[in-house]
Amino acid sequence: MKKIEIYDTTLRDGAQGEGVSFSLQDKLSITQRLDEIGVDFVEGGYPLSNEKDAEYFRRVQELNLRHTKVCAFGMTRRKGMTAAEDPGMKALVDSGAPVVTIVGKTHDFHVTDVLRVTLEENLAMIADSISYVVSEGREVIYDAEHFFDGWKANPEYAAETIRAAAKAGARLVVMCDTNGGSLPEEIAEYAQKAIAALAEFNVPVGIHTHNDGDLAVANSLAAVDAGAVQVQGTINGFGERCGNADLISVIANLGLKKKGYDVIGGEGFDHLTELSRYVYDTANVNRRTSQPFVGQSAFAHKGGMHVHAINRAASSYEHIDPQIVGNERRVLVSELSGRSNIMALTTKHNLQDDRELMDKILAEVVSKENQGYQYEAAEASFDLLVKRVAGVFQPHFEILKYHVEVEDLVEHKMVDLVTEATVKVSIDGEIRYEVGEGDGPVQALDVALRKALNERYPTLESMHLVDYKVRVVNQEAGTAARIRVTIESADEDSVWGTIGVSENIIQASWNALVDAIEYKLYKDEQRGKLPARVSAESTATK
């Protein structure tokens, strides 16, 4: 089985993506995670570019890395000086990184018009830089920038550049599709030519692709099939412009789909989803729900025919078992759903054998969605809807009254606004009336409702808001449009979504909030975390 090295550049190339930034601790934590999953190389950054990267190379030496080699990244020496005199080269060596990745020019146009040196001087810069770093006891990976554009324009000179790197002691030459515009067949063709050009040095090639043509992963796989032994990329495809090759997809395709390739030691695939989401959350970037293999929607089924089929044979609409990559199958419910969707989502209620009830639930879903509800991201509200339609919903509290007031403390100036909410509820016949303040009406209502409920239901202390989204359902209605509010809540055990729809944004928010609390209490009740109810009378609707 052929070993394919995985080289991660999330911390350097990925951080060049718009909206992506990592603190020092972020970079160290991600390095640790990448090591745990079995990534071979992690590029930490350019030690001369900023103090954070310099400190990273000092601190990373304290990590007990079992598998990963840390790489320092930099450019060839400057023109007109030796490599030993160049501050950038000295910083690479002084970083202490066992591997140094040096990027140099392959395209003659970039040499003469961008770098503004002669073609001969560029070859000397490549050779001198690599020789110096190797003489200092470091392993060198050479990144041939603009390799494919350079080979198309001047194949003889492009071959000279990578041969100069190999002759100087580089252990690997990486072909970079820097502009991201190459096609898979081009990648394969020029990879074979690069391998032939380096044959006498016994130096292999790697691949580094960008995603400007939405082909970065496909191009990486094409290069591997042509003989490349290393793939460079980033977790989730982070990177400048359209990003880099997504290593999540590269690893999954090479390790699970293609025969004869060994990546990350043949293990760790079931942690890919966890790793992907960890990097999203650490970078504070929204997750891409449709991301292959690890996205929330990667194994989500909405059409009734699809759900009916996967209930019989999951492979009918899934290319792999989602658990292999640490993901999970999700069945969505909407007006497109059939009885199969409802059955799949109601198995925990033991209602799936009641076909009449299934039809009632489906009819209610269709009716609700006509009003603007969507249950894909509000499975907790769907769970409560099932209970209500089945007539088994027993509310933990009854809303008697609520009121919100916003007061401007400074006359004629929109500053120091105070929002006050009053909530009157009945809990097992006991009336509770509470007042809460907040930065806005939703927070004020949340504060007041919790004050009313916390004494009876202390587990609510562990519940907190994760996300709050507002969307107009029927924009053509202007200010009278219906508003859809989705709330994501969490506790120490799980995360759940609820939804509310109304022409009044406060009412929509209130409905979603009440559902979130009811779901939390039902969940805790099932786990034996709540005291027994005073009243056992069942109420079908609130």
Side-chain angles (χ1 to χ4, degrees):
M1 185 172 286
K2 184 178 179 180
K3 164 70 175 175
I4 304 298
E5 297 174 343
I6 299 299
Y7 181 110
D8 181 275
T9 180
T10 304
L11 305 182
R12 200 270 309 171
D13 215 344
Q16 293 177 182
E18 186 174 3
V20 178
S21 179
F22 298 112
S23 68
L24 173 60
Q25 188 56 50
D26 291 341
K27 295 181 70 163
L28 293 169
S29 299
I30 290 174
T31 301
Q32 190 80 60
R33 290 294 185 102
L34 293 170
D35 175 63
E36 291 170 358
I37 205 172
V39 169
D40 301 286
F41 299 92
V42 171
E43 189 177 272
Y46 179 29
L48 193 66
S49 65
N50 59 77
E51 180 56 33
K52 180 172 64 179
D53 279 6
E55 181 64 19
Y56 166 83
F57 287 103
R58 290 191 287 269
R59 293 276 301 278
V60 78
Q61 297 178 48
E62 301 171 5
L63 299 181
N64 183 26
L65 301 179
R66 299 171 299 172
H67 186 90
T68 295
K69 290 184 179 180
V70 173
C71 309
F73 176 89
M75 297 166 285
T76 54
R77 68 159 174 82
R78 302 174 191 175
K79 62 181 179 181
M81 66 174 62
T82 67
E85 296 170 334
D86 187 279
M89 301 303 301
K90 293 172 67 176
L92 291 173
V93 171
D94 292 343
S95 71
V99 181
V100 172
T101 299
I102 295 176
V103 61
K105 300 295 185 184
T106 310
H107 193 174
D108 57 358
F109 165 76
H110 281 268
V111 174
T112 57
D113 288 56
V114 179
L115 199 57
R116 297 196 173 185
V117 300
T118 65
L119 298 182
E120 293 73 19
E121 173 67 0
N122 180 56
L123 294 175
M125 291 163 64
I126 294 170
D128 293 349
S129 302
I130 294 173
S131 296
Y132 168 69
V133 176
V134 170
S135 72
E136 293 292 326
R138 302 297 193 275
E139 187 176 318
V140 175
I141 294 174
Y142 177 67
D143 272 11
E145 190 179 35
H146 293 99
F147 172 84
F148 296 96
D149 293 330
W151 199 285
K152 293 174 190 176
N154 188 339
E156 292 79 13
Y157 184 73
E160 281 191 73
T161 64
I162 62 173
R163 287 168 63 85
K167 188 175 181 179
R171 70 168 288 270
L172 183 83
V173 170
V174 178
M175 307 170 294
C176 297
D177 186 27
T178 310
N179 288 348
S182 299
L183 299 173
E185 57 268 26
E186 296 174 320
I187 296 285
E189 177 187 351
Y190 295 128
Q192 292 169 350
K193 292 180 178 180
I195 291 170
L198 297 172
E200 69 175 281
F201 303 102
N202 197 30
V203 171
V205 301
I207 184 68
H208 180 127
T209 60
H210 286 255
N211 202 38
D212 299 72
D214 203 20
L215 292 168
V217 172
N219 285 343
S220 298
L221 299 181
V224 169
D225 282 344
V229 300
Q230 182 185 97
V231 178
Q232 296 190 354
T234 62
I235 302 301
N236 302 324
F238 287 175
E240 202 163 25
R241 305 188 311 275
C242 303
N244 290 46
D246 183 356
L247 284 181
I248 297 292
S249 291
V250 168
I251 291 170
N253 277 303
L254 286 177
L256 300 175
K257 294 296 190 73
K258 285 185 168 291
K259 303 296 184 183
Y261 293 125
D262 172 27
V263 291
I264 60 174
E267 300 177 356
F269 299 109
D270 58 341
H271 292 289
L272 287 177
T273 299
E274 175 190 350
L275 173 65
S276 168
R277 294 175 183 178
Y278 178 81
V279 173
Y280 275 123
D281 293 345
T282 302
N284 197 27
V285 172
N286 291 332
R287 300 173 185 176
R288 183 159 52 99
T289 58
S290 60
Q291 185 174 354
F293 294 101
V294 297
Q296 187 180 20
S297 301
F299 301 95
H301 305 278
K302 187 172 182 178
M305 182 180 68
H306 289 207
V307 176
H308 177 73
I310 65 166
N311 283 339
R312 297 195 172 192
S315 61
S316 59
Y317 283 97
E318 291 177 348
H319 65 115
I320 63 168
D321 180 347
Q323 293 184 358
I324 293 177
V325 290
N327 209 339
E328 62 181 357
R329 179 179 302 116
R330 296 173 59 239
V331 175
L332 309 180
V333 62
S334 77
E335 76 278 2
L336 300 178
S337 304
R339 189 183 290 111
S340 296
N341 298 59
I342 304 300
M343 290 175 63
L345 288 168
T346 57
T347 52
K348 59 185 173 182
H349 300 295
N350 296 317
L351 304 173
Q352 62 272 21
D353 293 331
D354 190 335
R355 294 176 65 88
E356 183 180 349
L357 179 56
M358 295 298 104
D359 290 339
K360 287 183 179 179
I361 295 171
L362 181 56
E364 181 67 11
V365 168
V366 172
S367 173
K368 286 287 190 181
E369 292 222 345
N370 284 336
Q371 299 172 37
Y373 283 79
Q374 284 186 349
Y375 290 101
E376 287 96 330
E379 293 179 8
S381 284
F382 174 77
D383 213 28
L384 297 176
L385 177 147
V386 170
K387 292 179 182 294
R388 292 183 177 109
V389 174
V392 296
F393 177 70
Q394 182 183 345
H396 292 82
F397 54 94
E398 181 184 357
I399 304 297
L400 301 178
K401 176 183 177 182
Y402 73 90
H403 176 75
V404 178
E405 182 176 302
V406 179
E407 182 180 1
D408 185 353
L409 295 182
V410 181
E411 188 176 2
H412 304 307
K413 294 182 180 179
M414 294 299 292
V415 294
D416 295 330
L417 292 178
V418 173
T419 304
E420 184 178 272
T422 57
V423 172
K424 184 178 182 181
V425 301
S426 173
I427 310 172
D428 296 331
E430 177 187 351
I431 305 299
R432 299 295 302 269
Y433 188 87
E434 296 289 350
V435 179
E437 288 187 352
D439 293 331
V442 179
Q443 185 188 26
L445 285 167
D446 186 31
V447 170
L449 185 55
R450 284 172 179 266
K451 287 172 68 175
L453 300 177
N454 277 347
E455 182 178 341
R456 180 68 172 84
Y457 303 117
T459 61
L460 288 176
E461 292 286 350
S462 66
M463 173 183 163
H464 61 277
L465 178 73
V466 176
D467 202 0
Y468 173 87
K469 296 185 178 73
V470 177
R471 184 165 184 174
V472 176
V473 176
N474 52 334
Q475 298 181 9
E476 68 279 0
T479 55
R482 285 192 298 276
I483 306 297
R484 179 193 301 135
V485 171
T486 305
I487 290 178
E488 192 173 75
S489 307
D491 60 13
E492 68 279 7
D493 298 318
S494 60
V495 178
W496 62 95
T498 54
I499 188 170
V501 175
S502 174
E503 288 82 3
N504 186 317
I505 189 172
I506 295 177
Q507 178 68 51
S509 303
W510 175 251
N511 292 343
L513 178 63
V514 170
D515 266 11
I517 291 176
E518 277 286 9
Y519 183 81
K520 161 69 173 172
L521 297 177
Y522 263 104
K523 187 166 67 76
D524 288 349
E525 192 172 57
Q526 291 171 353
R527 299 186 181 189
K529 294 183 178 181
L530 290 185
R533 301 227 197 167
V534 174
S535 172
E537 293 179 4
S538 176
T539 304
T541 58
K542 262 197 303 191

